Amino acid sequence: MNSSRPYLIRALYEWIVDNGCTPHLLVNAEYPGVQVPTKFVSDGQIVLNVSPTAVRELDLGTEAVSFEGRFGGVGHSLFVPSPAVLAIYARENGQGMVFDQEPPPVQNEVEVVEEQDTPPDDEPPRPSGRPSLKVVK
């Protein structure tokens, strides 16, 4: 199943904007593939104002968030893989959602998964493990 994070980011972004607030993203700037102005990174994180009036060409995609923004009067192209988004919240009241940190993908693990036996085409895949839910406050 796909990660729910990009879908939650899009939904919360729309909710925040619809309520007249300013959406901000808290980003792990050290996550592989993140492209943000390093001059504005503090303790490995950066807060990005992604309001419609602050950015251009905002794309809240399934794999990443990307947009054009200005920092200190200088234009930058930003790219943030979805797992690097740690939170989305409204600047005015702090309402939003914090996400668990995801470890960066490891190439060796991907190769091992691809080598595992797959069930025959006529046999449906069996779920592994028990389903789990978390309480989000």
Side-chain angles (χ1 to χ4, degrees):
M1 204 170 199
N2 293 336
S3 171
S4 62
R5 186 178 304 219
Y7 301 94
L8 293 170
I9 292 169
R10 282 194 294 270
L12 288 165
Y13 176 87
E14 186 176 331
W15 174 69
I16 291 167
V17 171
D18 284 354
N19 282 285
C21 294
T22 309
H24 280 202
L25 296 178
L26 175 62
V27 174
N28 175 358
E30 297 173 344
Y31 194 89
V34 170
Q35 296 174 4
V36 295
T38 55
K39 181 177 170 183
F40 299 94
V41 172
S42 176
D43 295 327
Q45 298 179 344
I46 187 169
V47 175
L48 304 171
N49 175 350
V50 289
S51 71
T53 58
V55 300
R56 293 184 320 170
E57 299 181 34
L58 177 64
D59 180 19
L60 299 170
T62 304
E63 300 297 320
V65 175
S66 62
F67 60 92
E68 304 285 325
R70 297 185 71 76
F71 291 81
V74 179
H76 292 273
S77 293
L78 288 86
F79 183 84
V80 179
S82 295
V85 176
L86 301 175
I88 180 168
Y89 62 93
R91 178 185 68 201
E92 292 78 4
N93 58 20
Q95 289 192 6
M97 181 177 282
V98 176
F99 301 103
D100 290 335
Q101 256 188 328
E102 288 187 21
V106 177
Q107 291 294 4
N108 293 342
E109 290 179 11
V110 173
E111 292 171 8
V112 170
V113 170
E114 290 173 359
E115 293 173 7
Q116 290 179 352
D117 291 333
T118 57
D121 290 336
D122 60 340
E123 184 179 322
R126 286 177 265 142
S128 60
R130 293 178 41 196
S132 63
L133 298 175
K134 291 183 187 178
V135 176
V136 179
K137 293 183 181 184

mmCIF file of all heavy atoms in Angstrom, residues 77-123:
data_model
loop_
_atom_site.group_PDB
_atom_site.id
_atom_site.type_symbol
_atom_site.label_atom_id
_atom_site.label_comp_id
_atom_site.label_asym_id
_atom_site.label_seq_id
_atom_site.Cartn_x
_atom_site.Cartn_y
_atom_site.Cartn_z
ATOM 1 N N SER A 77 14.476 26.926 -6.588
ATOM 2 C CA SER A 77 13.612 25.782 -6.873
ATOM 3 C C SER A 77 13.783 24.811 -5.720
ATOM 4 O O SER A 77 14.906 24.396 -5.431
ATOM 5 C CB SER A 77 14.024 25.103 -8.180
ATOM 6 O OG SER A 77 13.768 25.952 -9.259
ATOM 7 N N LEU A 78 12.694 24.459 -5.072
ATOM 8 C CA LEU A 78 12.753 23.560 -3.927
ATOM 9 C C LEU A 78 12.128 22.219 -4.272
ATOM 10 O O LEU A 78 11.133 22.155 -5.006
ATOM 11 C CB LEU A 78 12.037 24.169 -2.728
ATOM 12 C CG LEU A 78 12.790 25.336 -2.095
ATOM 13 C CD1 LEU A 78 12.484 26.635 -2.772
ATOM 14 C CD2 LEU A 78 12.483 25.424 -0.640
ATOM 15 N N PHE A 79 12.709 21.165 -3.722
ATOM 16 C CA PHE A 79 12.225 19.802 -3.934
ATOM 17 C C PHE A 79 12.342 19.077 -2.607
ATOM 18 O O PHE A 79 13.420 19.002 -2.018
ATOM 19 C CB PHE A 79 13.064 19.104 -5.006
ATOM 20 C CG PHE A 79 12.579 17.726 -5.333
ATOM 21 C CD1 PHE A 79 11.562 17.534 -6.253
ATOM 22 C CD2 PHE A 79 13.135 16.615 -4.716
ATOM 23 C CE1 PHE A 79 11.107 16.251 -6.562
ATOM 24 C CE2 PHE A 79 12.693 15.332 -5.017
ATOM 25 C CZ PHE A 79 11.679 15.161 -5.944
ATOM 26 N N VAL A 80 11.215 18.545 -2.133
ATOM 27 C CA VAL A 80 11.177 17.864 -0.840
ATOM 28 C C VAL A 80 10.485 16.515 -1.013
ATOM 29 O O VAL A 80 9.267 16.463 -1.220
ATOM 30 C CB VAL A 80 10.421 18.707 0.211
ATOM 31 C CG1 VAL A 80 10.363 17.981 1.542
ATOM 32 C CG2 VAL A 80 11.040 20.085 0.362
ATOM 33 N N PRO A 81 11.232 15.410 -0.958
ATOM 34 C CA PRO A 81 10.572 14.099 -1.003
ATOM 35 C C PRO A 81 9.559 13.989 0.136
ATOM 36 O O PRO A 81 9.801 14.476 1.247
ATOM 37 C CB PRO A 81 11.731 13.113 -0.807
ATOM 38 C CG PRO A 81 12.955 13.870 -1.218
ATOM 39 C CD PRO A 81 12.685 15.298 -0.846
ATOM 40 N N SER A 82 8.432 13.371 -0.132
ATOM 41 C CA SER A 82 7.369 13.278 0.878
ATOM 42 C C SER A 82 7.839 12.739 2.231
ATOM 43 O O SER A 82 7.418 13.254 3.269
ATOM 44 C CB SER A 82 6.213 12.430 0.354
ATOM 45 O OG SER A 82 5.622 13.070 -0.743
ATOM 46 N N PRO A 83 8.718 11.714 2.281
ATOM 47 C CA PRO A 83 9.154 11.222 3.586
ATOM 48 C C PRO A 83 9.956 12.260 4.390
ATOM 49 O O PRO A 83 10.105 12.115 5.597
ATOM 50 C CB PRO A 83 10.035 10.022 3.252
ATOM 51 C CG PRO A 83 9.635 9.612 1.887
ATOM 52 C CD PRO A 83 9.200 10.859 1.196
ATOM 53 N N ALA A 84 10.456 13.310 3.739
ATOM 54 C CA ALA A 84 11.227 14.340 4.438
ATOM 55 C C ALA A 84 10.334 15.363 5.132
ATOM 56 O O ALA A 84 10.806 16.152 5.950
ATOM 57 C CB ALA A 84 12.170 15.050 3.463
ATOM 58 N N VAL A 85 9.028 15.360 4.819
ATOM 59 C CA VAL A 85 8.096 16.289 5.468
ATOM 60 C C VAL A 85 7.803 15.754 6.867
ATOM 61 O O VAL A 85 7.263 14.671 7.027
ATOM 62 C CB VAL A 85 6.794 16.460 4.655
ATOM 63 C CG1 VAL A 85 5.812 17.365 5.402
ATOM 64 C CG2 VAL A 85 7.086 17.016 3.279
ATOM 65 N N LEU A 86 8.189 16.528 7.873
ATOM 66 C CA LEU A 86 7.988 16.118 9.267
ATOM 67 C C LEU A 86 6.669 16.620 9.840
ATOM 68 O O LEU A 86 6.130 16.027 10.776
ATOM 69 C CB LEU A 86 9.142 16.624 10.130
ATOM 70 C CG LEU A 86 10.539 16.139 9.730
ATOM 71 C CD1 LEU A 86 11.599 16.804 10.590
ATOM 72 C CD2 LEU A 86 10.617 14.625 9.830
ATOM 73 N N ALA A 87 6.148 17.736 9.277
ATOM 74 C CA ALA A 87 4.883 18.289 9.770
ATOM 75 C C ALA A 87 4.325 19.273 8.761
ATOM 76 O O ALA A 87 5.067 19.860 7.973
ATOM 77 C CB ALA A 87 5.087 18.992 11.113
ATOM 78 N N ILE A 88 3.015 19.440 8.803
ATOM 79 C CA ILE A 88 2.338 20.522 8.092
ATOM 80 C C ILE A 88 1.385 21.144 9.103
ATOM 81 O O ILE A 88 0.661 20.426 9.809
ATOM 82 C CB ILE A 88 1.607 20.053 6.821
ATOM 83 C CG1 ILE A 88 0.922 21.255 6.145
ATOM 84 C CG2 ILE A 88 0.669 18.902 7.087
ATOM 85 C CD1 ILE A 88 0.422 20.978 4.737
ATOM 86 N N TYR A 89 1.429 22.479 9.200
ATOM 87 C CA TYR A 89 0.617 23.146 10.215
ATOM 88 C C TYR A 89 0.314 24.578 9.789
ATOM 89 O O TYR A 89 0.955 25.138 8.892
ATOM 90 C CB TYR A 89 1.330 23.141 11.573
ATOM 91 C CG TYR A 89 2.654 23.884 11.564
ATOM 92 C CD1 TYR A 89 2.724 25.230 11.920
ATOM 93 C CD2 TYR A 89 3.834 23.249 11.188
ATOM 94 C CE1 TYR A 89 3.935 25.917 11.910
ATOM 95 C CE2 TYR A 89 5.035 23.922 11.167
ATOM 96 C CZ TYR A 89 5.083 25.257 11.529
ATOM 97 O OH TYR A 89 6.270 25.936 11.503
ATOM 98 N N ALA A 90 -0.693 25.170 10.451
ATOM 99 C CA ALA A 90 -1.061 26.564 10.215
ATOM 100 C C ALA A 90 -0.205 27.453 11.108
ATOM 101 O O ALA A 90 -0.121 27.224 12.316
ATOM 102 C CB ALA A 90 -2.536 26.779 10.514
ATOM 103 N N ARG A 91 0.430 28.450 10.515
ATOM 104 C CA ARG A 91 1.294 29.356 11.280
ATOM 105 C C ARG A 91 0.504 30.080 12.378
ATOM 106 O O ARG A 91 1.004 30.276 13.491
ATOM 107 C CB ARG A 91 1.937 30.393 10.350
ATOM 108 C CG ARG A 91 2.823 31.390 11.112
ATOM 109 C CD ARG A 91 3.357 32.488 10.242
ATOM 110 N NE ARG A 91 2.238 33.335 9.824
ATOM 111 C CZ ARG A 91 2.275 34.129 8.769
ATOM 112 N NH1 ARG A 91 3.327 34.178 8.005
ATOM 113 N NH2 ARG A 91 1.236 34.866 8.456
ATOM 114 N N GLU A 92 -0.723 30.437 12.089
ATOM 115 C CA GLU A 92 -1.505 31.263 13.016
ATOM 116 C C GLU A 92 -1.884 30.551 14.306
ATOM 117 O O GLU A 92 -1.954 31.182 15.363
ATOM 118 C CB GLU A 92 -2.787 31.767 12.323
ATOM 119 C CG GLU A 92 -2.536 32.767 11.217
ATOM 120 C CD GLU A 92 -2.048 32.150 9.899
ATOM 121 O OE1 GLU A 92 -1.956 30.903 9.795
ATOM 122 O OE2 GLU A 92 -1.778 32.926 8.979
ATOM 123 N N ASN A 93 -2.146 29.251 14.246
ATOM 124 C CA ASN A 93 -2.620 28.560 15.456
ATOM 125 C C ASN A 93 -1.918 27.227 15.732
ATOM 126 O O ASN A 93 -2.237 26.555 16.695
ATOM 127 C CB ASN A 93 -4.136 28.350 15.389
ATOM 128 C CG ASN A 93 -4.557 27.552 14.178
ATOM 129 O OD1 ASN A 93 -3.764 26.842 13.563
ATOM 130 N ND2 ASN A 93 -5.830 27.674 13.829
ATOM 131 N N GLY A 94 -1.002 26.821 14.857
ATOM 132 C CA GLY A 94 -0.249 25.588 15.069
ATOM 133 C C GLY A 94 -1.014 24.305 14.761
ATOM 134 O O GLY A 94 -0.486 23.218 14.946
ATOM 135 N N GLN A 95 -2.265 24.423 14.311
ATOM 136 C CA GLN A 95 -3.043 23.221 14.016
ATOM 137 C C GLN A 95 -2.529 22.561 12.745
ATOM 138 O O GLN A 95 -2.222 23.226 11.758
ATOM 139 C CB GLN A 95 -4.519 23.553 13.881
ATOM 140 C CG GLN A 95 -5.145 23.916 15.197
ATOM 141 C CD GLN A 95 -6.659 23.956 15.100
ATOM 142 O OE1 GLN A 95 -7.254 23.610 14.099
ATOM 143 N NE2 GLN A 95 -7.287 24.393 16.189
ATOM 144 N N GLY A 96 -2.440 21.242 12.775
ATOM 145 C CA GLY A 96 -1.964 20.487 11.638
ATOM 146 C C GLY A 96 -1.622 19.080 12.069
ATOM 147 O O GLY A 96 -2.283 18.506 12.925
ATOM 148 N N MET A 97 -0.536 18.535 11.507
ATOM 149 C CA MET A 97 -0.159 17.158 11.808
ATOM 150 C C MET A 97 1.355 17.014 11.785
ATOM 151 O O MET A 97 2.030 17.571 10.924
ATOM 152 C CB MET A 97 -0.779 16.213 10.773
ATOM 153 C CG MET A 97 -0.473 14.754 11.012
ATOM 154 S SD MET A 97 -1.309 13.679 9.824
ATOM 155 C CE MET A 97 -2.958 13.693 10.515
ATOM 156 N N VAL A 98 1.849 16.231 12.756
ATOM 157 C CA VAL A 98 3.267 15.878 12.812
ATOM 158 C C VAL A 98 3.374 14.421 12.367
ATOM 159 O O VAL A 98 2.573 13.583 12.766
ATOM 160 C CB VAL A 98 3.826 16.044 14.242
ATOM 161 C CG1 VAL A 98 5.263 15.583 14.320
ATOM 162 C CG2 VAL A 98 3.693 17.485 14.694
ATOM 163 N N PHE A 99 4.380 14.127 11.542
ATOM 164 C CA PHE A 99 4.583 12.780 11.024
ATOM 165 C C PHE A 99 5.796 12.145 11.690
ATOM 166 O O PHE A 99 6.718 12.846 12.100
ATOM 167 C CB PHE A 99 4.813 12.806 9.511
ATOM 168 C CG PHE A 99 3.686 13.424 8.740
ATOM 169 C CD1 PHE A 99 3.790 14.705 8.235
ATOM 170 C CD2 PHE A 99 2.519 12.723 8.509
ATOM 171 C CE1 PHE A 99 2.765 15.284 7.513
ATOM 172 C CE2 PHE A 99 1.474 13.287 7.791
ATOM 173 C CZ PHE A 99 1.601 14.573 7.289
ATOM 174 N N ASP A 100 5.802 10.809 11.752
ATOM 175 C CA ASP A 100 6.977 10.087 12.229
ATOM 176 C C ASP A 100 8.106 10.273 11.223
ATOM 177 O O ASP A 100 7.857 10.358 10.020
ATOM 178 C CB ASP A 100 6.687 8.594 12.361
ATOM 179 C CG ASP A 100 5.734 8.277 13.503
ATOM 180 O OD1 ASP A 100 5.677 9.081 14.461
ATOM 181 O OD2 ASP A 100 5.069 7.234 13.434
ATOM 182 N N GLN A 101 9.334 10.293 11.723
ATOM 183 C CA GLN A 101 10.481 10.362 10.822
ATOM 184 C C GLN A 101 10.632 9.024 10.126
ATOM 185 O O GLN A 101 10.536 7.973 10.747
ATOM 186 C CB GLN A 101 11.759 10.685 11.588
ATOM 187 C CG GLN A 101 12.176 12.103 11.411
ATOM 188 C CD GLN A 101 13.531 12.382 12.012
ATOM 189 O OE1 GLN A 101 13.929 11.788 12.996
ATOM 190 N NE2 GLN A 101 14.233 13.297 11.418
ATOM 191 N N GLU A 102 10.842 9.075 8.817
ATOM 192 C CA GLU A 102 11.062 7.853 8.047
ATOM 193 C C GLU A 102 12.541 7.739 7.740
ATOM 194 O O GLU A 102 13.175 8.722 7.365
ATOM 195 C CB GLU A 102 10.278 7.881 6.736
ATOM 196 C CG GLU A 102 8.796 7.713 6.910
ATOM 197 C CD GLU A 102 8.068 7.567 5.578
ATOM 198 O OE1 GLU A 102 8.709 7.211 4.575
ATOM 199 O OE2 GLU A 102 6.858 7.816 5.568
ATOM 200 N N PRO A 103 13.102 6.546 7.895
ATOM 201 C CA PRO A 103 14.503 6.376 7.537
ATOM 202 C C PRO A 103 14.658 6.462 6.025
ATOM 203 O O PRO A 103 13.744 6.103 5.285
ATOM 204 C CB PRO A 103 14.847 4.978 8.048
ATOM 205 C CG PRO A 103 13.536 4.264 8.110
ATOM 206 C CD PRO A 103 12.501 5.315 8.386
ATOM 207 N N PRO A 104 15.805 6.942 5.560
ATOM 208 C CA PRO A 104 16.032 7.005 4.108
ATOM 209 C C PRO A 104 16.026 5.598 3.514
ATOM 210 O O PRO A 104 16.372 4.627 4.195
ATOM 211 C CB PRO A 104 17.412 7.633 3.970
ATOM 212 C CG PRO A 104 17.804 8.105 5.315
ATOM 213 C CD PRO A 104 16.918 7.462 6.314
ATOM 214 N N PRO A 105 15.619 5.476 2.257
ATOM 215 C CA PRO A 105 15.621 4.154 1.633
ATOM 216 C C PRO A 105 17.044 3.628 1.496
ATOM 217 O O PRO A 105 17.978 4.375 1.240
ATOM 218 C CB PRO A 105 15.000 4.404 0.250
ATOM 219 C CG PRO A 105 15.163 5.861 0.005
ATOM 220 C CD PRO A 105 15.209 6.529 1.349
ATOM 221 N N VAL A 106 17.181 2.321 1.676
ATOM 222 C CA VAL A 106 18.490 1.685 1.563
ATOM 223 C C VAL A 106 18.454 0.783 0.340
ATOM 224 O O VAL A 106 17.562 -0.057 0.212
ATOM 225 C CB VAL A 106 18.811 0.861 2.841
ATOM 226 C CG1 VAL A 106 20.134 0.146 2.697
ATOM 227 C CG2 VAL A 106 18.806 1.766 4.060
ATOM 228 N N GLN A 107 19.422 0.929 -0.553
ATOM 229 C CA GLN A 107 19.447 0.164 -1.798
ATOM 230 C C GLN A 107 19.505 -1.331 -1.553
ATOM 231 O O GLN A 107 18.858 -2.095 -2.239
ATOM 232 C CB GLN A 107 20.648 0.596 -2.655
ATOM 233 C CG GLN A 107 20.523 1.986 -3.204
ATOM 234 C CD GLN A 107 19.388 2.122 -4.225
ATOM 235 O OE1 GLN A 107 18.624 1.206 -4.486
ATOM 236 N NE2 GLN A 107 19.262 3.300 -4.779
ATOM 237 N N ASN A 108 20.296 -1.788 -0.571
ATOM 238 C CA ASN A 108 20.444 -3.217 -0.321
ATOM 239 C C ASN A 108 19.117 -3.863 0.040
ATOM 240 O O ASN A 108 18.831 -4.973 -0.369
ATOM 241 C CB ASN A 108 21.471 -3.477 0.787
ATOM 242 C CG ASN A 108 22.862 -3.080 0.363
ATOM 243 O OD1 ASN A 108 23.127 -2.936 -0.827
ATOM 244 N ND2 ASN A 108 23.746 -2.895 1.322
ATOM 245 N N GLU A 109 18.298 -3.172 0.838
ATOM 246 C CA GLU A 109 17.013 -3.731 1.237
ATOM 247 C C GLU A 109 16.091 -3.878 0.042
ATOM 248 O O GLU A 109 15.369 -4.851 -0.071
ATOM 249 C CB GLU A 109 16.346 -2.844 2.289
ATOM 250 C CG GLU A 109 17.036 -2.871 3.629
ATOM 251 C CD GLU A 109 16.367 -1.965 4.641
ATOM 252 O OE1 GLU A 109 15.255 -1.487 4.362
ATOM 253 O OE2 GLU A 109 16.961 -1.743 5.697
ATOM 254 N N VAL A 110 16.127 -2.940 -0.881
ATOM 255 C CA VAL A 110 15.273 -2.997 -2.059
ATOM 256 C C VAL A 110 15.642 -4.211 -2.904
ATOM 257 O O VAL A 110 14.790 -4.929 -3.385
ATOM 258 C CB VAL A 110 15.401 -1.696 -2.882
ATOM 259 C CG1 VAL A 110 14.655 -1.817 -4.194
ATOM 260 C CG2 VAL A 110 14.878 -0.528 -2.073
ATOM 261 N N GLU A 111 16.935 -4.468 -3.076
ATOM 262 C CA GLU A 111 17.378 -5.595 -3.879
ATOM 263 C C GLU A 111 16.945 -6.921 -3.253
ATOM 264 O O GLU A 111 16.518 -7.825 -3.951
ATOM 265 C CB GLU A 111 18.898 -5.565 -4.036
ATOM 266 C CG GLU A 111 19.361 -4.401 -4.892
ATOM 267 C CD GLU A 111 20.864 -4.223 -4.869
ATOM 268 O OE1 GLU A 111 21.567 -5.095 -4.314
ATOM 269 O OE2 GLU A 111 21.337 -3.221 -5.396
ATOM 270 N N VAL A 112 17.001 -7.037 -1.938
ATOM 271 C CA VAL A 112 16.606 -8.264 -1.259
ATOM 272 C C VAL A 112 15.125 -8.517 -1.467
ATOM 273 O O VAL A 112 14.707 -9.636 -1.743
ATOM 274 C CB VAL A 112 16.950 -8.196 0.246
ATOM 275 C CG1 VAL A 112 16.332 -9.349 0.993
ATOM 276 C CG2 VAL A 112 18.451 -8.169 0.431
ATOM 277 N N VAL A 113 14.303 -7.483 -1.368
ATOM 278 C CA VAL A 113 12.863 -7.631 -1.548
ATOM 279 C C VAL A 113 12.559 -8.123 -2.955
ATOM 280 O O VAL A 113 11.712 -8.975 -3.161
ATOM 281 C CB VAL A 113 12.137 -6.296 -1.271
ATOM 282 C CG1 VAL A 113 10.686 -6.363 -1.682
ATOM 283 C CG2 VAL A 113 12.253 -5.947 0.202
ATOM 284 N N GLU A 114 13.256 -7.621 -3.947
ATOM 285 C CA GLU A 114 13.011 -8.011 -5.328
ATOM 286 C C GLU A 114 13.375 -9.472 -5.576
ATOM 287 O O GLU A 114 12.819 -10.116 -6.455
ATOM 288 C CB GLU A 114 13.799 -7.116 -6.279
ATOM 289 C CG GLU A 114 13.267 -5.693 -6.316
ATOM 290 C CD GLU A 114 14.152 -4.762 -7.121
ATOM 291 O OE1 GLU A 114 15.185 -5.223 -7.642
ATOM 292 O OE2 GLU A 114 13.801 -3.586 -7.217
ATOM 293 N N GLU A 115 14.305 -10.027 -4.818
ATOM 294 C CA GLU A 115 14.749 -11.396 -5.022
ATOM 295 C C GLU A 115 13.845 -12.424 -4.347
ATOM 296 O O GLU A 115 13.940 -13.602 -4.619
ATOM 297 C CB GLU A 115 16.182 -11.562 -4.496
ATOM 298 C CG GLU A 115 17.206 -10.785 -5.301
ATOM 299 C CD GLU A 115 18.584 -10.826 -4.677
ATOM 300 O OE1 GLU A 115 18.773 -11.571 -3.691
ATOM 301 O OE2 GLU A 115 19.458 -10.115 -5.153
ATOM 302 N N GLN A 116 12.961 -12.009 -3.457
ATOM 303 C CA GLN A 116 12.109 -12.942 -2.739
ATOM 304 C C GLN A 116 11.129 -13.606 -3.706
ATOM 305 O O GLN A 116 10.734 -13.029 -4.718
ATOM 306 C CB GLN A 116 11.329 -12.225 -1.639
ATOM 307 C CG GLN A 116 12.204 -11.771 -0.504
ATOM 308 C CD GLN A 116 11.398 -11.042 0.552
ATOM 309 O OE1 GLN A 116 10.231 -10.760 0.377
ATOM 310 N NE2 GLN A 116 12.038 -10.731 1.656
ATOM 311 N N ASP A 117 10.736 -14.842 -3.359
ATOM 312 C CA ASP A 117 9.769 -15.563 -4.176
ATOM 313 C C ASP A 117 8.422 -14.865 -4.106
ATOM 314 O O ASP A 117 8.015 -14.357 -3.064
ATOM 315 C CB ASP A 117 9.600 -16.996 -3.677
ATOM 316 C CG ASP A 117 10.860 -17.818 -3.929
ATOM 317 O OD1 ASP A 117 11.592 -17.482 -4.876
ATOM 318 O OD2 ASP A 117 11.092 -18.788 -3.179
ATOM 319 N N THR A 118 7.722 -14.854 -5.235
ATOM 320 C CA THR A 118 6.391 -14.274 -5.278
ATOM 321 C C THR A 118 5.395 -15.405 -5.482
ATOM 322 O O THR A 118 5.711 -16.416 -6.107
ATOM 323 C CB THR A 118 6.257 -13.253 -6.418
ATOM 324 O OG1 THR A 118 6.590 -13.914 -7.651
ATOM 325 C CG2 THR A 118 7.175 -12.070 -6.207
ATOM 326 N N PRO A 119 4.172 -15.247 -4.967
ATOM 327 C CA PRO A 119 3.178 -16.303 -5.143
ATOM 328 C C PRO A 119 2.808 -16.429 -6.623
ATOM 329 O O PRO A 119 2.919 -15.471 -7.375
ATOM 330 C CB PRO A 119 1.988 -15.828 -4.307
ATOM 331 C CG PRO A 119 2.190 -14.374 -4.123
ATOM 332 C CD PRO A 119 3.659 -14.129 -4.220
ATOM 333 N N PRO A 120 2.364 -17.611 -7.043
ATOM 334 C CA PRO A 120 1.941 -17.776 -8.439
ATOM 335 C C PRO A 120 0.828 -16.791 -8.776
ATOM 336 O O PRO A 120 0.088 -16.334 -7.902
ATOM 337 C CB PRO A 120 1.428 -19.221 -8.487
ATOM 338 C CG PRO A 120 1.947 -19.890 -7.260
ATOM 339 C CD PRO A 120 2.244 -18.820 -6.267
ATOM 340 N N ASP A 121 0.697 -16.469 -10.065
ATOM 341 C CA ASP A 121 -0.289 -15.485 -10.504
ATOM 342 C C ASP A 121 -1.718 -15.860 -10.122
ATOM 343 O O ASP A 121 -2.547 -15.004 -9.888
ATOM 344 C CB ASP A 121 -0.207 -15.289 -12.020
ATOM 345 C CG ASP A 121 1.070 -14.571 -12.415
ATOM 346 O OD1 ASP A 121 1.628 -13.858 -11.559
ATOM 347 O OD2 ASP A 121 1.512 -14.731 -13.569
ATOM 348 N N ASP A 122 -2.017 -17.173 -10.060
ATOM 349 C CA ASP A 122 -3.376 -17.584 -9.733
ATOM 350 C C ASP A 122 -3.662 -17.567 -8.235
ATOM 351 O O ASP A 122 -4.788 -17.731 -7.807
ATOM 352 C CB ASP A 122 -3.674 -18.965 -10.315
ATOM 353 C CG ASP A 122 -2.717 -20.037 -9.776
ATOM 354 O OD1 ASP A 122 -1.633 -19.667 -9.276
ATOM 355 O OD2 ASP A 122 -3.064 -21.234 -9.868
ATOM 356 N N GLU A 123 -2.639 -17.343 -7.419
ATOM 357 C CA GLU A 123 -2.810 -17.311 -5.968
ATOM 358 C C GLU A 123 -2.693 -15.869 -5.483
ATOM 359 O O GLU A 123 -1.697 -15.198 -5.720
ATOM 360 C CB GLU A 123 -1.727 -18.156 -5.300
ATOM 361 C CG GLU A 123 -1.879 -18.269 -3.804
ATOM 362 C CD GLU A 123 -0.788 -19.143 -3.205
ATOM 363 O OE1 GLU A 123 -0.424 -20.149 -3.825
ATOM 364 O OE2 GLU A 123 -0.288 -18.781 -2.131
#
